Amino acid sequence: MSISATPRRIGLIGLGLMGRPMAMNLLKAGHALTVWNRTASRAQELVAAGAKLAKTPREAAAEAEFLLTMVSDPPALEEVLWGHEGKNDGALGGLRAGSIYIDSSTISPALVRKIAAACAERQVRFLDAPVTGGDWGAREGNLVFMIGGDEATLKEVEPILGVMAKKWFHLGPNGAGQTIKLAMNGILALQVGAMAEALALVIRAGLRGEQLIEVMQASMARSGVLDVKSPLMVKGDFKPSFPLRLMHKDLGLMLDLANQLGVALPATAAAREVYSYVKGEAKEDLDYSAVMRFWKK
Ligand code: NA7
């Protein structure tokens, strides 16, 4: 879905694994980009490529026609948006009436609604727009956005999304994007967790993990995520593409939402226990496929 873009003034907050390559693609497409990151040194490469570095989230938002945020979790986003007491440094305070704010962090639908209300007070249009595709998708401009919010606003941001994504879905009002994203990550966590369990069994039985992978790839059990993750799980290569700490966060957000809605998710709850254990034991940042380590004790 690549669309050629007229240069726009864009602010981008959050230069982690995902935000950095997304920002680089926006710069390469010719947009005027102002970035802010809590750890300023992570902006070096982008500044060298032409981005302006803001001193505060508020400053990153102040000139922006479009503001994007890509931070780790709900507390991080609240800090960035509402700022620190007495400092007047939050991004919301900087946003101009008429601008569009797009959040691509994975957060709760409840926080989405709080942000939507704060934006409405300021005549700012807001989309929840979490993504899937990992850091590879972010680098290649191949992300998939899941959008909640007004359809006419989405139309306006499509030229910008087209720089970062191959596809996007309009899923309903604010919160719909996050709800679908949490449900999808629940499936990924369970699939990878199930693969880890099956590999543990096969290997303990004296067979090779590769045998299970080969058969699975020729069967109905085949899936994109398992094609990518299972060979790395057998090798024990857990370099983070989607960090386990973030998958653990998403399982928590999914269970909170299920609790609010009165839906029982027993398999998700069990999976979260396993991810919690591995997260607690890990000394370094690992990919979520490291859930495999639960069976390597
Ligand atoms: P990363 O690589 O962990 O990056 C997280 C970003 O969030 C990074 O820029 C962090 O800044 C920033 N962050 C974290 N806590 C805060 C606080 N308290 N205040 C301001 N900024 C903060 O995550 P990804 O890029 O892989 O993922 C981003 C989102 O997409 C996440 O919701 C995923 O679930 C999906 P730092 O550089 O550490 O100073």
Side-chain angles (χ1 to χ4, degrees):
M1 248 198 236
S2 176
I3 292 177
S4 67
T6 320
R8 309 304 292 256
R9 287 192 314 278
I10 301 176
L12 195 150
I13 292 174
L15 303 174
L17 269 181
M18 299 293 290
R20 270 199 311 272
M22 289 164 77
M24 193 54 91
N25 284 334
L26 289 168
L27 269 183
K28 283 185 187 156
H31 293 293
L33 192 68
T34 302
V35 294
W36 181 85
N37 195 53
R38 181 180 60 176
T39 310
S41 57
R42 297 218 162 110
Q44 268 169 10
E45 200 190 337
L46 290 160
V47 170
K52 203 171 132 188
L53 181 60
K55 289 193 188 65
T56 60
R58 184 187 174 105
E59 198 181 299
E63 296 294 318
E65 296 170 87
F66 300 91
L67 176 71
L68 256 107
T69 48
M70 193 52 167
V71 297
S72 40
D73 53 18
L77 188 61
E78 292 200 78
E79 202 172 320
V80 155
L81 290 179
W82 279 277
H84 301 93
E85 189 138 4
K87 287 201 171 162
N88 200 21
D89 55 354
L92 275 177
L95 277 170
R96 296 182 314 165
S99 62
I100 297 181
Y101 167 40
I102 305 152
D103 174 51
S104 288
S105 325
T106 303
I107 58 164
S108 62
L111 180 55
V112 167
R113 285 190 287 277
K114 182 175 161 191
I115 296 169
C119 285
E121 276 174 24
R122 294 167 171 81
Q123 281 99 48
V124 170
R125 288 166 291 158
F126 168 60
L127 298 174
D128 51 300
V131 296
T132 185
D135 65 333
W136 180 86
R139 278 196 302 277
E140 299 298 311
N142 256 339
L143 293 170
V144 174
F145 280 86
M146 288 154 269
I147 315 264
D150 171 52
E151 201 157 6
T153 307
L154 171 58
K155 277 272 160 274
E156 273 193 57
V157 306
E158 280 183 346
I160 290 169
L161 298 185
V163 169
M164 299 177 282
K166 60 175 178 187
K167 210 172 176 123
W168 47 89
F169 294 89
H170 181 240
L171 299 163
N174 280 136
Q178 294 293 354
T179 302
I180 297 288
K181 163 79 197 232
L182 292 177
M184 197 193 64
N185 270 13
I187 295 171
L188 294 178
L190 287 169
Q191 273 184 289
V192 169
M195 187 69 198
E197 245 176 71
L199 280 170
L201 182 76
V202 161
I203 292 165
R204 187 63 64 87
L207 297 169
R208 288 181 302 109
E210 289 83 353
Q211 293 175 286
L212 172 62
I213 296 172
E214 245 177 75
V215 173
M216 197 195 64
Q217 285 175 331
S219 81
M220 292 284 276
R222 182 171 191 188
S223 83
V225 69
L226 295 184
D227 280 356
V228 172
K229 298 291 185 191
S230 44
L232 297 171
M233 289 161 83
V234 168
K235 271 197 248 159
D237 176 354
F238 301 128
K239 183 173 170 286
S241 170
F242 180 48
L244 187 131
R245 65 187 153 80
L246 294 179
M247 181 59 99
H248 178 261
K249 173 235 355 170
D250 291 352
L251 290 172
L253 292 172
M254 187 179 172
L255 290 168
D256 287 347
L257 179 62
N259 198 23
Q260 286 154 25
L261 296 172
V263 185
L265 303 179
T268 307
R272 183 163 184 270
E273 291 301 312
V274 180
Y275 281 87
S276 285
Y277 173 84
V278 177
K279 180 172 166 276
E281 292 288 298
K283 309 257 178 316
E284 69 278 46
D285 208 13
L286 298 169
D287 190 72
Y288 76 97
S289 52
V291 67
M292 179 82 195
R293 284 199 177 168
F294 183 81
W295 289 275
K296 292 220 164 151
K297 281 181 287 180

